[in-house]
């Protein structure tokens, strides 16, 4: 069974631009979560989607948004990029969310110049 | 979710058991202890979880104290590939969220 895939793996943007990251969960998984990892703040929860609905959100500004499609694939968008948005963005999927094991993708490394 | 405290770093000799402690003194009765690890530049990987009984799988063993205020993850025969950051996470058993709250974790360095 294929794992969680994230595209692109690396991305370079400039301040003020916007970016869209994509996550394809493991087949059959309906829950997708997004995390931001930086050296200073560590791993922080961004949001979680289940059956196309956002059911949990972390403490991030409104510039960070996401969505989930009917096939469970998810995208996250960051608008008006800031230097501090440079990070590894990780996506995790699970069958139903909740109690189950979370399977993480390899991440997208975003660099904002 | 309860807060966890882990040592910042630990060393272990290759082939020896690695014992990673975690303190979760404010854990509630319906909270589970989960362990994940993150090998450099990869996504975190689930290792094991437990409520109050000791648990073992092909990767590791989890020992939870009787009062549940602390736990120890044991890698029985550490290899160089076990060098990673290990995260101890306490989660409420919930059907409506998969959210994980990561602390700073323990950096385990396995040395030859």
């Amino acid at each position: 069974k294929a794992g969680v895939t994230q595209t692109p793996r690396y991305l370079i943007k400039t301040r003020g631009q916007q970016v869209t990251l994509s996550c394809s969960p493991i087949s059959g998984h309906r829950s997708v979560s997004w995390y931001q990892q930086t050296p200073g703040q560590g791993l922080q929860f961004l949001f979680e989607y289940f059956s196309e609905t956002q059911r949990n959100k972390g403490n991030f500004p409104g510039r960070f948004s996401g969505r989930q499609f009917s096939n469970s694939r998810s995208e996250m968008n960051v608008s008006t990029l800031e230097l501090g948005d440079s990070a590894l963005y990780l996506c995790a999927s699970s069958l139903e969310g909740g109690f189950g094991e979370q399977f993480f993708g390899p991440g997208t490394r975003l660099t904002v110049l | 979710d309860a807060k966890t405290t882990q040592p910042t770093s630990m060393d272990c000799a290759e082939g020896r058991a690695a014992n990673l402690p975690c303190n979760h003194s404010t854990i509630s009765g319906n909270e589970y202890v989960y362990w994940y690890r993150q090998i450099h530049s990869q996504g975190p990987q689930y290792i094991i979880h437990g409520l109050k009984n000791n648990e073992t799988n092909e990767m590791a063993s989890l020992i939870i104290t009787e009062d549940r205020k602390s736990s120890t993850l044991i890698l029985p025969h550490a290899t160089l590939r076990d060098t990673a950051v290990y995260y101890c996470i306490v989660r409420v058993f919930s059907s409506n969220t998969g959210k994980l709250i990561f602390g700073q974790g323990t950096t385990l360095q396995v040395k030859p």
Side-chain angles (χ1 to χ4, degrees):
Chain A
K1 186 185 267 190
V4 177
T5 58
Q6 293 187 244
T7 57
R9 291 294 311 281
Y10 302 91
L11 204 50
I12 299 175
K13 292 286 188 179
T14 56
R15 280 179 297 174
Q17 287 187 309
Q18 76 165 13
V19 67
T20 299
L21 311 181
S22 180
C23 171
S24 292
I26 291 172
S27 177
H29 285 191
R30 298 166 62 193
S31 170
V32 173
S33 297
W34 288 88
Y35 294 81
Q36 181 197 65
Q37 185 171 29
T38 61
Q41 299 298 317
L43 272 157
Q44 293 185 286
F45 172 80
L46 278 158
F47 27 65
E48 176 190 11
Y49 288 88
F50 179 78
S51 293
E52 301 179 65
T53 300
Q54 186 183 89
R55 68 179 179 184
N56 214 334
K57 189 176 190 304
N59 188 25
F60 278 83
R63 299 186 296 108
F64 292 81
S65 63
R67 60 178 175 169
Q68 186 180 32
F69 302 95
S70 58
N71 61 358
S72 294
R73 190 177 69 85
S74 177
E75 289 181 347
M76 68 163 282
N77 184 278
V78 188
S79 62
T80 319
L81 284 166
E82 301 177 358
L83 295 179
D85 297 332
S86 294
L88 180 66
Y89 290 88
L90 291 156
C91 163
S93 79
S94 65
L95 279 170
E96 301 277 339
F99 188 68
E101 174 185 348
Q102 300 283 315
F103 294 84
F104 283 81
T108 294
R109 172 75 62 184
L110 172 65
T111 301
V112 182
L113 303 176
Chain B
D1 295 331
K3 180 179 169 56
T4 62
T5 303
Q6 299 178 252
T8 303
S9 63
M10 295 181 64
D11 289 342
C12 176
E14 188 178 20
R16 303 296 295 269
N19 297 277
L20 292 93
C22 179
N23 189 297
H24 32 78
S25 58
T26 60
I27 193 169
S28 300
N30 63 345
E31 291 181 313
Y32 284 70
V33 180
Y34 281 72
W35 285 83
Y36 280 76
R37 73 179 182 183
Q38 186 176 24
I39 297 170
H40 183 63
S41 295
Q42 297 181 21
Q45 175 191 24
Y46 165 83
I47 300 173
I48 198 168
H49 74 275
L51 180 63
K52 56 183 178 181
N53 298 319
N54 298 338
E55 302 288 345
T56 296
N57 62 21
E58 65 279 3
M59 287 182 66
S61 294
L62 174 59
I63 309 297
I64 302 175
T65 58
E66 193 169 340
D67 63 8
R68 304 210 320 121
K69 293 185 177 182
S70 65
S71 61
T72 301
L73 178 74
I74 301 172
L75 307 178
H77 305 287
T79 71
L80 298 179
R81 288 177 296 180
D82 292 321
T83 292
V85 179
Y86 287 77
Y87 297 97
C88 171
I89 299 167
V90 171
R91 290 182 66 192
V92 175
F93 175 78
S94 169
S95 62
N96 63 3
T97 180
K99 175 182 177 180
L100 296 172
I101 300 175
F102 290 87
Q104 294 305 308
T106 297
T107 299
L108 175 68
Q109 181 73 47
V110 181
K111 299 185 174 181

